[in-house]
Amino acid sequence: MIKIFRYLLFSLFAFILFECQSQDKVLILYQGNYTEETKYKILNSDKSQFAEIKSVDGNEPSCSKLKGKILAYFDDYYIFHFRAKQSILPNYFEVQIGSVLKLIEKSNTMMLLSLEDYILKYYCSASKQNPLKISPNEKSKSISVNFEDVGFICLEIKGDWVKVKCNKECESCPNGKNIEGWIRWRRNDKIILKQYYNC
């Protein structure tokens, strides 16, 4: 009986560990004390090299294989963001590139964030397709704003919605009004929020 209990306890622990490792996160490169020589190798599952992000001839780092296939790619600003999770292999993350998973070795120039913390880290905007709402509900009334001119700071997450307020430090608030509302940031596990990574 004790053996069975121990087996069940171990199985439960293994299941919880697997679930924690499988949680979807975002991996951000070029954080902390990186230099112009900092580079990252993207590996296949057998650890053969798939691609490399690096600087060439003193230019900003780049990697043509990643363009249009990762969460955010703006090489002019050292922005390389991946949907990611902990790998079962020690010292590696699994990163999503297109529809496949690749490996990247852990480094102190990376930051791994939950999806929610990632959304709260950056600025955003509303759009006609994803308007600003009074409350976090599709049926809620939309708030009329000039989508081209008004940027927002993200304040808090509630389910698939993020509460925002107009960004006084960048685009400023129209007519000096402190506009607040809700924008949907996720639909069907896909990030649909239009984000800005610099003011």
Side-chain angles (χ1 to χ4, degrees), residues 38-110:
T38 299
K39 56 186 178 180
Y40 305 92
K41 291 183 179 181
I42 310 296
L43 307 177
N44 297 307
S45 58
D46 62 0
K47 293 190 179 180
S48 61
Q49 184 170 312
F50 167 76
E52 188 173 29
I53 305 170
K54 64 179 181 179
S55 174
V56 178
D57 298 328
N59 296 314
E60 289 82 4
S62 63
C63 180
S64 59
K65 284 188 175 182
L66 302 182
K67 286 185 178 180
K69 294 185 178 181
I70 62 177
L71 185 59
Y73 181 108
F74 298 98
D75 50 9
D76 289 348
Y77 299 97
Y78 286 70
I79 291 175
F80 301 88
H81 300 174
F82 300 82
R83 295 288 288 268
K85 62 182 179 180
Q86 298 279 356
S87 173
I88 59 173
L89 299 176
N91 301 318
Y92 286 91
F93 294 117
E94 291 183 10
V95 292
Q96 185 175 342
I97 301 174
S99 59
V100 298
L101 292 177
K102 300 293 183 180
L103 295 171
I104 187 169
E105 191 170 4
K106 293 180 180 180
S107 163
N108 59 7
T109 60
M110 300 174 176

Side-chain angles (χ1 to χ4, degrees), residues 101-180:
L101 292 177
K102 300 293 183 180
L103 295 171
I104 187 169
E105 191 170 4
K106 293 180 180 180
S107 163
N108 59 7
T109 60
M110 300 174 176
M111 180 184 296
L112 187 68
L113 297 175
S114 67
L115 284 175
E116 291 78 8
D117 286 340
Y118 176 72
I119 293 298
L120 294 175
K121 181 176 174 63
Y122 297 107
Y123 308 108
C124 71
S125 68
S127 66
K128 291 182 180 180
Q129 295 74 30
N130 193 18
L132 184 68
K133 298 279 190 175
I134 292 176
S135 59
N137 190 305
E138 291 283 7
K139 296 181 180 180
S140 175
K141 184 178 179 180
S142 296
I143 301 172
S144 179
V145 295
N146 187 329
F147 299 120
E148 300 296 327
D149 299 332
V150 181
F152 297 96
I153 298 171
C154 297
L155 301 175
E156 65 173 286
I157 298 286
K158 187 174 183 179
D160 292 341
W161 295 80
V162 58
K163 187 177 183 180
V164 300
K165 70 175 181 179
C166 59
N167 190 351
K168 293 181 180 179
E169 297 177 0
C170 294
E171 293 85 357
S172 75
C173 298
N175 301 320
K177 295 181 179 179
N178 190 19
I179 299 174
E180 290 191 6

